[in-house]
Amino acid sequence: MKKILYLLSSAVVLMACESKTYEEISDNTPITEVVKYETDVKPIIETNCIGCHSPGGPAASKPLTSYNLVKANIDNIIDRIQRPIGAAGRMPPGTSLSQTQINFFIKWKADGLTEN
């Protein structure tokens, strides 16, 4: 009986353990420097958005190909990248940005949408 109790207790403890990726662990690190479009936001856009939000892409009607276009749509971008997984209109579809990447957009807006 003690063995069964020990095994059950061990199983509960092991199931309660959680493994986090580096990205999840680092998400709470505050971004202390001013966020700029060219150095911080544009690389995220190019990697995760431009495939659809450019001429010829499925979202060509909502291009994000320049500083001015991203700046003009920042509120919509922040809304969409923060929607829960599975929610209608969540971007990027089928995946999500890390919280750190989302924080760059939020801080960029708070910092005044600096280009360079």
Side-chain angles (χ1 to χ4, degrees):
M1 185 63 161
K2 285 184 181 181
K3 285 184 181 180
I4 292 173
L5 232 43
Y6 176 75
L7 287 173
L8 287 174
S9 299
S10 297
V12 169
V13 168
L14 288 175
M15 289 186 333
C17 290
E18 188 176 73
S19 173
K20 293 191 175 196
T21 65
Y22 172 78
E23 196 66 32
E24 290 170 325
I25 293 168
S26 65
D27 282 344
N28 293 324
T29 303
I31 302 168
T32 56
E33 294 185 20
V34 173
V35 175
K36 297 177 183 173
Y37 176 76
E38 284 293 326
T39 56
D40 303 306
V41 175
K42 185 178 180 181
I44 299 170
I45 295 280
E46 288 177 342
T47 301
N48 299 283
C49 311
I50 210 72
C52 294
H53 292 275
S54 62
S61 63
K62 297 176 183 163
L64 299 175
T65 54
S66 71
Y67 164 77
N68 287 327
L69 290 168
V70 175
K71 179 181 174 182
N73 289 288
I74 191 60
D75 291 327
N76 189 41
I77 293 168
I78 290 172
D79 169 54
R80 294 203 173 226
I81 63 176
Q82 290 189 100
R83 290 183 186 182
I85 294 174
R90 177 173 174 65
M91 291 290 143
T95 186
S96 70
L97 299 180
S98 70
Q99 189 59 50
T100 299
Q101 291 171 315
I102 293 169
N103 290 344
F104 271 107
F105 283 92
I106 294 167
K107 184 141 187 327
W108 180 54
K109 181 181 177 190
D111 287 347
L113 305 167
T114 305
E115 185 173 8
N116 294 316

